[in-house]
Amino acid sequence: MVTAFIMIKANTGEADRLKDSIEAIDGVQSAHIVAGDVDLIAKANVESPAAVKEIAATHIQGIEGVEDTQTYIAMD
C-alpha cells in the first residue's frame, strides 16, 4: 500500500466545493481545508505510485478551480 499526501492550491472561494469533489475520488481517504501555503490536503491510500500519479495529475488537477498540486509519498 502507498500513502500519499497531496497539497492543493485552489482558486479563491473554491475550497469547500473542491473538498467534496476530491473526497469522491477513488483512493482518496480524506481531504481537509487547511490554513497556510496551500488550501487543502488530501490523503490517498492506493496500491502503487502510478495510482498516486493518476489521482494527483489526472483527477485532482482536472477539477476546475484547482490551481496547483504538490504530492508527497510517505516513506514509512
Side-chain angles (χ1 to χ4, degrees):
M1 217 49 177
V2 177
T3 300
F5 298 92
I6 304 159
M7 311 300 148
I8 303 150
K9 285 194 176 216
N11 291 337
T12 303
E14 295 284 343
D16 287 324
R17 181 184 63 81
L18 291 175
K19 180 180 184 287
D20 294 336
S21 296
I22 292 165
E23 286 183 325
I25 297 169
D26 284 340
V28 173
Q29 182 178 4
S30 61
H32 304 275
I33 297 170
V34 298
D37 293 336
V38 298
D39 301 298
L40 297 108
I41 298 175
K43 181 179 181 182
N45 283 313
V46 292
E47 291 297 321
S48 68
V52 173
K53 180 183 175 199
E54 180 74 16
I55 288 171
T58 302
H59 295 294
I60 293 176
Q61 288 182 6
I63 299 171
E64 185 177 336
V66 171
E67 289 183 9
D68 193 25
T69 63
Q70 291 182 338
T71 303
Y72 299 89
I73 293 178
M75 302 301 286
D76 62 350

